[in-house]
Amino acid sequence: MNLLLDTHALLWWLADDPELSTNARRLIADPDNRVHVSAVSGWEISIKQALGKLEVDTKELAGAVRQGGFEALPVSFEHGLRAGALPPHHRDPFDRMLIAQAQAERLSIVTRDPAFAAYDVTCVW
């Protein structure tokens, strides 16, 4: 299975937070699955940190993502076009980009956000 981690799933995985579901934990840990982390998550984390909504050492976080064996997913021009064309079910620009990336790259999103279900994307939790 090819997975894309929503930002909260990434943070909870790295922190070993019990908020991450047992199924999500199993899917991320399965060596047969390819797990992607979007550049969008780095952007979202940095913005929330700058606003004082999140405390995280971004240098440590970047190293943990690399060491975790996750595959980096950059944002492409096609991703931007897809995100802009999505119906306005979800107004969060970070989530809209993750949805567009999952659609374009045929990835299942690891998220507990119920708003993702309004889109043509596979969600797992």
PDB file of all heavy atoms in Angstrom, residues 22-50:
ATOM      1  N   THR A  22      -4.365   2.335  16.234  1.00  0.00           N
ATOM      2  CA  THR A  22      -3.625   1.077  16.127  1.00  0.00           C
ATOM      3  C   THR A  22      -3.464   0.676  14.668  1.00  0.00           C
ATOM      4  O   THR A  22      -2.396   0.239  14.249  1.00  0.00           O
ATOM      5  CB  THR A  22      -4.360  -0.038  16.907  1.00  0.00           C
ATOM      6  OG1 THR A  22      -4.479   0.382  18.269  1.00  0.00           O
ATOM      7  CG2 THR A  22      -3.624  -1.350  16.841  1.00  0.00           C
ATOM      8  N   ASN A  23      -4.519   0.844  13.876  1.00  0.00           N
ATOM      9  CA  ASN A  23      -4.444   0.495  12.463  1.00  0.00           C
ATOM     10  C   ASN A  23      -3.448   1.388  11.724  1.00  0.00           C
ATOM     11  O   ASN A  23      -2.647   0.895  10.918  1.00  0.00           O
ATOM     12  CB  ASN A  23      -5.823   0.595  11.800  1.00  0.00           C
ATOM     13  CG  ASN A  23      -5.798   0.092  10.378  1.00  0.00           C
ATOM     14  OD1 ASN A  23      -5.385  -1.033  10.111  1.00  0.00           O
ATOM     15  ND2 ASN A  23      -6.238   0.930   9.457  1.00  0.00           N
ATOM     16  N   ALA A  24      -3.485   2.694  11.977  1.00  0.00           N
ATOM     17  CA  ALA A  24      -2.536   3.608  11.330  1.00  0.00           C
ATOM     18  C   ALA A  24      -1.105   3.245  11.711  1.00  0.00           C
ATOM     19  O   ALA A  24      -0.213   3.202  10.858  1.00  0.00           O
ATOM     20  CB  ALA A  24      -2.838   5.051  11.720  1.00  0.00           C
ATOM     21  N   ARG A  25      -0.894   2.940  12.959  1.00  0.00           N
ATOM     22  CA  ARG A  25       0.438   2.559  13.444  1.00  0.00           C
ATOM     23  C   ARG A  25       0.926   1.289  12.721  1.00  0.00           C
ATOM     24  O   ARG A  25       2.066   1.203  12.290  1.00  0.00           O
ATOM     25  CB  ARG A  25       0.367   2.338  14.962  1.00  0.00           C
ATOM     26  CG  ARG A  25       1.679   2.292  15.659  1.00  0.00           C
ATOM     27  CD  ARG A  25       1.485   2.224  17.170  1.00  0.00           C
ATOM     28  NE  ARG A  25       0.751   3.363  17.712  1.00  0.00           N
ATOM     29  CZ  ARG A  25       1.276   4.547  17.964  1.00  0.00           C
ATOM     30  NH1 ARG A  25       2.551   4.753  17.731  1.00  0.00           N
ATOM     31  NH2 ARG A  25       0.550   5.522  18.465  1.00  0.00           N
ATOM     32  N   ARG A  26       0.027   0.325  12.570  1.00  0.00           N
ATOM     33  CA  ARG A  26       0.368  -0.932  11.897  1.00  0.00           C
ATOM     34  C   ARG A  26       0.716  -0.686  10.429  1.00  0.00           C
ATOM     35  O   ARG A  26       1.697  -1.211   9.914  1.00  0.00           O
ATOM     36  CB  ARG A  26      -0.802  -1.909  12.009  1.00  0.00           C
ATOM     37  CG  ARG A  26      -0.563  -3.252  11.348  1.00  0.00           C
ATOM     38  CD  ARG A  26      -1.810  -4.129  11.382  1.00  0.00           C
ATOM     39  NE  ARG A  26      -2.972  -3.528  10.739  1.00  0.00           N
ATOM     40  CZ  ARG A  26      -3.157  -3.459   9.417  1.00  0.00           C
ATOM     41  NH1 ARG A  26      -2.259  -3.938   8.599  1.00  0.00           N
ATOM     42  NH2 ARG A  26      -4.248  -2.903   8.933  1.00  0.00           N
ATOM     43  N   LEU A  27      -0.083   0.144   9.746  1.00  0.00           N
ATOM     44  CA  LEU A  27       0.160   0.437   8.337  1.00  0.00           C
ATOM     45  C   LEU A  27       1.482   1.172   8.121  1.00  0.00           C
ATOM     46  O   LEU A  27       2.224   0.870   7.184  1.00  0.00           O
ATOM     47  CB  LEU A  27      -0.993   1.259   7.763  1.00  0.00           C
ATOM     48  CG  LEU A  27      -2.324   0.534   7.606  1.00  0.00           C
ATOM     49  CD1 LEU A  27      -3.434   1.525   7.270  1.00  0.00           C
ATOM     50  CD2 LEU A  27      -2.232  -0.549   6.555  1.00  0.00           C
ATOM     51  N   ILE A  28       1.780   2.139   8.970  1.00  0.00           N
ATOM     52  CA  ILE A  28       3.023   2.908   8.839  1.00  0.00           C
ATOM     53  C   ILE A  28       4.234   2.015   9.099  1.00  0.00           C
ATOM     54  O   ILE A  28       5.259   2.115   8.417  1.00  0.00           O
ATOM     55  CB  ILE A  28       3.018   4.126   9.786  1.00  0.00           C
ATOM     56  CG1 ILE A  28       1.910   5.104   9.381  1.00  0.00           C
ATOM     57  CG2 ILE A  28       4.379   4.821   9.796  1.00  0.00           C
ATOM     58  CD1 ILE A  28       1.605   6.168  10.429  1.00  0.00           C
ATOM     59  N   ALA A  29       4.118   1.119  10.057  1.00  0.00           N
ATOM     60  CA  ALA A  29       5.242   0.251  10.429  1.00  0.00           C
ATOM     61  C   ALA A  29       5.468  -0.900   9.453  1.00  0.00           C
ATOM     62  O   ALA A  29       6.555  -1.478   9.430  1.00  0.00           O
ATOM     63  CB  ALA A  29       5.008  -0.312  11.832  1.00  0.00           C
ATOM     64  N   ASP A  30       4.475  -1.217   8.642  1.00  0.00           N
ATOM     65  CA  ASP A  30       4.577  -2.357   7.727  1.00  0.00           C
ATOM     66  C   ASP A  30       5.627  -2.075   6.656  1.00  0.00           C
ATOM     67  O   ASP A  30       5.477  -1.151   5.851  1.00  0.00           O
ATOM     68  CB  ASP A  30       3.210  -2.604   7.076  1.00  0.00           C
ATOM     69  CG  ASP A  30       3.167  -3.851   6.220  1.00  0.00           C
ATOM     70  OD1 ASP A  30       4.221  -4.310   5.731  1.00  0.00           O
ATOM     71  OD2 ASP A  30       2.061  -4.376   6.021  1.00  0.00           O
ATOM     72  N   PRO A  31       6.704  -2.883   6.603  1.00  0.00           N
ATOM     73  CA  PRO A  31       7.771  -2.627   5.630  1.00  0.00           C
ATOM     74  C   PRO A  31       7.335  -2.833   4.177  1.00  0.00           C
ATOM     75  O   PRO A  31       8.028  -2.389   3.256  1.00  0.00           O
ATOM     76  CB  PRO A  31       8.864  -3.628   6.022  1.00  0.00           C
ATOM     77  CG  PRO A  31       8.170  -4.685   6.807  1.00  0.00           C
ATOM     78  CD  PRO A  31       6.987  -4.030   7.456  1.00  0.00           C
ATOM     79  N   ASP A  32       6.189  -3.462   3.963  1.00  0.00           N
ATOM     80  CA  ASP A  32       5.680  -3.634   2.600  1.00  0.00           C
ATOM     81  C   ASP A  32       4.986  -2.379   2.077  1.00  0.00           C
ATOM     82  O   ASP A  32       4.689  -2.286   0.884  1.00  0.00           O
ATOM     83  CB  ASP A  32       4.703  -4.813   2.542  1.00  0.00           C
ATOM     84  CG  ASP A  32       5.400  -6.148   2.729  1.00  0.00           C
ATOM     85  OD1 ASP A  32       6.605  -6.256   2.401  1.00  0.00           O
ATOM     86  OD2 ASP A  32       4.744  -7.087   3.220  1.00  0.00           O
ATOM     87  N   ASN A  33       4.714  -1.429   2.957  1.00  0.00           N
ATOM     88  CA  ASN A  33       4.057  -0.183   2.566  1.00  0.00           C
ATOM     89  C   ASN A  33       5.095   0.903   2.313  1.00  0.00           C
ATOM     90  O   ASN A  33       6.089   0.999   3.023  1.00  0.00           O
ATOM     91  CB  ASN A  33       3.080   0.274   3.651  1.00  0.00           C
ATOM     92  CG  ASN A  33       1.897  -0.656   3.779  1.00  0.00           C
ATOM     93  OD1 ASN A  33       1.538  -1.359   2.843  1.00  0.00           O
ATOM     94  ND2 ASN A  33       1.288  -0.661   4.945  1.00  0.00           N
ATOM     95  N   ARG A  34       4.828   1.727   1.301  1.00  0.00           N
ATOM     96  CA  ARG A  34       5.652   2.908   1.042  1.00  0.00           C
ATOM     97  C   ARG A  34       4.944   4.085   1.707  1.00  0.00           C
ATOM     98  O   ARG A  34       3.772   4.346   1.421  1.00  0.00           O
ATOM     99  CB  ARG A  34       5.806   3.146  -0.448  1.00  0.00           C
ATOM    100  CG  ARG A  34       6.615   2.043  -1.129  1.00  0.00           C
ATOM    101  CD  ARG A  34       6.710   2.245  -2.612  1.00  0.00           C
ATOM    102  NE  ARG A  34       7.419   3.491  -2.902  1.00  0.00           N
ATOM    103  CZ  ARG A  34       7.397   4.080  -4.090  1.00  0.00           C
ATOM    104  NH1 ARG A  34       6.692   3.579  -5.074  1.00  0.00           N
ATOM    105  NH2 ARG A  34       8.065   5.196  -4.285  1.00  0.00           N
ATOM    106  N   VAL A  35       5.654   4.773   2.578  1.00  0.00           N
ATOM    107  CA  VAL A  35       5.053   5.860   3.353  1.00  0.00           C
ATOM    108  C   VAL A  35       5.670   7.183   2.903  1.00  0.00           C
ATOM    109  O   VAL A  35       6.882   7.368   2.984  1.00  0.00           O
ATOM    110  CB  VAL A  35       5.256   5.646   4.870  1.00  0.00           C
ATOM    111  CG1 VAL A  35       4.563   6.753   5.651  1.00  0.00           C
ATOM    112  CG2 VAL A  35       4.741   4.266   5.295  1.00  0.00           C
ATOM    113  N   HIS A  36       4.808   8.080   2.442  1.00  0.00           N
ATOM    114  CA  HIS A  36       5.236   9.381   1.935  1.00  0.00           C
ATOM    115  C   HIS A  36       4.901  10.488   2.929  1.00  0.00           C
ATOM    116  O   HIS A  36       3.872  10.440   3.602  1.00  0.00           O
ATOM    117  CB  HIS A  36       4.538   9.685   0.606  1.00  0.00           C
ATOM    118  CG  HIS A  36       4.857   8.710  -0.472  1.00  0.00           C
ATOM    119  ND1 HIS A  36       4.250   7.478  -0.562  1.00  0.00           N
ATOM    120  CD2 HIS A  36       5.727   8.782  -1.496  1.00  0.00           C
ATOM    121  CE1 HIS A  36       4.733   6.836  -1.609  1.00  0.00           C
ATOM    122  NE2 HIS A  36       5.628   7.604  -2.192  1.00  0.00           N
ATOM    123  N   VAL A  37       5.778  11.476   2.964  1.00  0.00           N
ATOM    124  CA  VAL A  37       5.552  12.694   3.749  1.00  0.00           C
ATOM    125  C   VAL A  37       5.683  13.867   2.783  1.00  0.00           C
ATOM    126  O   VAL A  37       6.692  14.007   2.087  1.00  0.00           O
ATOM    127  CB  VAL A  37       6.573  12.818   4.905  1.00  0.00           C
ATOM    128  CG1 VAL A  37       6.432  14.158   5.596  1.00  0.00           C
ATOM    129  CG2 VAL A  37       6.393  11.680   5.893  1.00  0.00           C
ATOM    130  N   SER A  38       4.658  14.689   2.744  1.00  0.00           N
ATOM    131  CA  SER A  38       4.628  15.809   1.815  1.00  0.00           C
ATOM    132  C   SER A  38       5.405  17.012   2.332  1.00  0.00           C
ATOM    133  O   SER A  38       5.439  17.286   3.539  1.00  0.00           O
ATOM    134  CB  SER A  38       3.173  16.224   1.575  1.00  0.00           C
ATOM    135  OG  SER A  38       3.119  17.382   0.770  1.00  0.00           O
ATOM    136  N   ALA A  39       5.965  17.749   1.402  1.00  0.00           N
ATOM    137  CA  ALA A  39       6.589  19.032   1.727  1.00  0.00           C
ATOM    138  C   ALA A  39       5.566  19.951   2.394  1.00  0.00           C
ATOM    139  O   ALA A  39       5.924  20.809   3.205  1.00  0.00           O
ATOM    140  CB  ALA A  39       7.135  19.681   0.455  1.00  0.00           C
ATOM    141  N   VAL A  40       4.297  19.745   2.087  1.00  0.00           N
ATOM    142  CA  VAL A  40       3.221  20.536   2.672  1.00  0.00           C
ATOM    143  C   VAL A  40       3.212  20.393   4.195  1.00  0.00           C
ATOM    144  O   VAL A  40       2.950  21.360   4.911  1.00  0.00           O
ATOM    145  CB  VAL A  40       1.859  20.119   2.065  1.00  0.00           C
ATOM    146  CG1 VAL A  40       0.698  20.738   2.808  1.00  0.00           C
ATOM    147  CG2 VAL A  40       1.819  20.489   0.604  1.00  0.00           C
ATOM    148  N   SER A  41       3.509  19.194   4.693  1.00  0.00           N
ATOM    149  CA  SER A  41       3.528  18.995   6.142  1.00  0.00           C
ATOM    150  C   SER A  41       4.640  19.812   6.792  1.00  0.00           C
ATOM    151  O   SER A  41       4.435  20.394   7.859  1.00  0.00           O
ATOM    152  CB  SER A  41       3.680  17.507   6.478  1.00  0.00           C
ATOM    153  OG  SER A  41       2.499  16.817   6.132  1.00  0.00           O
ATOM    154  N   GLY A  42       5.790  19.868   6.156  1.00  0.00           N
ATOM    155  CA  GLY A  42       6.867  20.715   6.677  1.00  0.00           C
ATOM    156  C   GLY A  42       6.462  22.173   6.712  1.00  0.00           C
ATOM    157  O   GLY A  42       6.740  22.887   7.686  1.00  0.00           O
ATOM    158  N   TRP A  43       5.792  22.609   5.682  1.00  0.00           N
ATOM    159  CA  TRP A  43       5.317  23.996   5.604  1.00  0.00           C
ATOM    160  C   TRP A  43       4.292  24.260   6.702  1.00  0.00           C
ATOM    161  O   TRP A  43       4.365  25.263   7.420  1.00  0.00           O
ATOM    162  CB  TRP A  43       4.733  24.214   4.212  1.00  0.00           C
ATOM    163  CG  TRP A  43       4.181  25.576   3.918  1.00  0.00           C
ATOM    164  CD1 TRP A  43       4.632  26.777   4.389  1.00  0.00           C
ATOM    165  CD2 TRP A  43       3.077  25.869   3.070  1.00  0.00           C
ATOM    166  NE1 TRP A  43       3.869  27.797   3.878  1.00  0.00           N
ATOM    167  CE2 TRP A  43       2.914  27.260   3.057  1.00  0.00           C
ATOM    168  CE3 TRP A  43       2.224  25.091   2.311  1.00  0.00           C
ATOM    169  CZ2 TRP A  43       1.921  27.894   2.324  1.00  0.00           C
ATOM    170  CZ3 TRP A  43       1.240  25.719   1.569  1.00  0.00           C
ATOM    171  CH2 TRP A  43       1.091  27.108   1.578  1.00  0.00           C
ATOM    172  N   GLU A  44       3.329  23.342   6.852  1.00  0.00           N
ATOM    173  CA  GLU A  44       2.291  23.507   7.870  1.00  0.00           C
ATOM    174  C   GLU A  44       2.891  23.549   9.281  1.00  0.00           C
ATOM    175  O   GLU A  44       2.528  24.396  10.098  1.00  0.00           O
ATOM    176  CB  GLU A  44       1.275  22.364   7.779  1.00  0.00           C
ATOM    177  CG  GLU A  44       0.160  22.457   8.790  1.00  0.00           C
ATOM    178  CD  GLU A  44      -0.881  21.365   8.655  1.00  0.00           C
ATOM    179  OE1 GLU A  44      -0.645  20.362   7.941  1.00  0.00           O
ATOM    180  OE2 GLU A  44      -1.953  21.515   9.269  1.00  0.00           O
ATOM    181  N   ILE A  45       3.823  22.652   9.554  1.00  0.00           N
ATOM    182  CA  ILE A  45       4.468  22.608  10.873  1.00  0.00           C
ATOM    183  C   ILE A  45       5.217  23.900  11.144  1.00  0.00           C
ATOM    184  O   ILE A  45       5.113  24.476  12.235  1.00  0.00           O
ATOM    185  CB  ILE A  45       5.396  21.380  10.974  1.00  0.00           C
ATOM    186  CG1 ILE A  45       4.559  20.095  11.035  1.00  0.00           C
ATOM    187  CG2 ILE A  45       6.324  21.493  12.180  1.00  0.00           C
ATOM    188  CD1 ILE A  45       5.346  18.817  10.787  1.00  0.00           C
ATOM    189  N   SER A  46       5.950  24.389  10.162  1.00  0.00           N
ATOM    190  CA  SER A  46       6.719  25.633  10.335  1.00  0.00           C
ATOM    191  C   SER A  46       5.818  26.826  10.587  1.00  0.00           C
ATOM    192  O   SER A  46       6.123  27.678  11.431  1.00  0.00           O
ATOM    193  CB  SER A  46       7.584  25.893   9.104  1.00  0.00           C
ATOM    194  OG  SER A  46       8.586  24.925   8.999  1.00  0.00           O
ATOM    195  N   ILE A  47       4.720  26.903   9.863  1.00  0.00           N
ATOM    196  CA  ILE A  47       3.785  28.017  10.052  1.00  0.00           C
ATOM    197  C   ILE A  47       3.149  27.952  11.435  1.00  0.00           C
ATOM    198  O   ILE A  47       3.077  28.958  12.147  1.00  0.00           O
ATOM    199  CB  ILE A  47       2.713  28.037   8.947  1.00  0.00           C
ATOM    200  CG1 ILE A  47       3.360  28.521   7.644  1.00  0.00           C
ATOM    201  CG2 ILE A  47       1.530  28.917   9.333  1.00  0.00           C
ATOM    202  CD1 ILE A  47       2.444  28.499   6.442  1.00  0.00           C
ATOM    203  N   LYS A  48       2.703  26.767  11.851  1.00  0.00           N
ATOM    204  CA  LYS A  48       2.079  26.634  13.170  1.00  0.00           C
ATOM    205  C   LYS A  48       3.083  26.922  14.281  1.00  0.00           C
ATOM    206  O   LYS A  48       2.721  27.485  15.313  1.00  0.00           O
ATOM    207  CB  LYS A  48       1.449  25.253  13.321  1.00  0.00           C
ATOM    208  CG  LYS A  48       0.187  25.135  12.489  1.00  0.00           C
ATOM    209  CD  LYS A  48      -0.526  23.829  12.690  1.00  0.00           C
ATOM    210  CE  LYS A  48      -1.813  23.844  11.873  1.00  0.00           C
ATOM    211  NZ  LYS A  48      -2.583  22.621  12.027  1.00  0.00           N
ATOM    212  N   GLN A  49       4.324  26.565  14.063  1.00  0.00           N
ATOM    213  CA  GLN A  49       5.357  26.867  15.053  1.00  0.00           C
ATOM    214  C   GLN A  49       5.564  28.387  15.137  1.00  0.00           C
ATOM    215  O   GLN A  49       5.641  28.947  16.232  1.00  0.00           O
ATOM    216  CB  GLN A  49       6.672  26.180  14.693  1.00  0.00           C
ATOM    217  CG  GLN A  49       7.758  26.437  15.710  1.00  0.00           C
ATOM    218  CD  GLN A  49       9.082  25.824  15.303  1.00  0.00           C
ATOM    219  OE1 GLN A  49       9.359  25.666  14.124  1.00  0.00           O
ATOM    220  NE2 GLN A  49       9.889  25.487  16.285  1.00  0.00           N
ATOM    221  N   ALA A  50       5.630  29.051  14.000  1.00  0.00           N
ATOM    222  CA  ALA A  50       5.827  30.503  13.973  1.00  0.00           C
ATOM    223  C   ALA A  50       4.664  31.243  14.629  1.00  0.00           C
ATOM    224  O   ALA A  50       4.845  32.312  15.219  1.00  0.00           O
ATOM    225  CB  ALA A  50       6.003  30.985  12.531  1.00  0.00           C
TER     226      ALA A  50
END
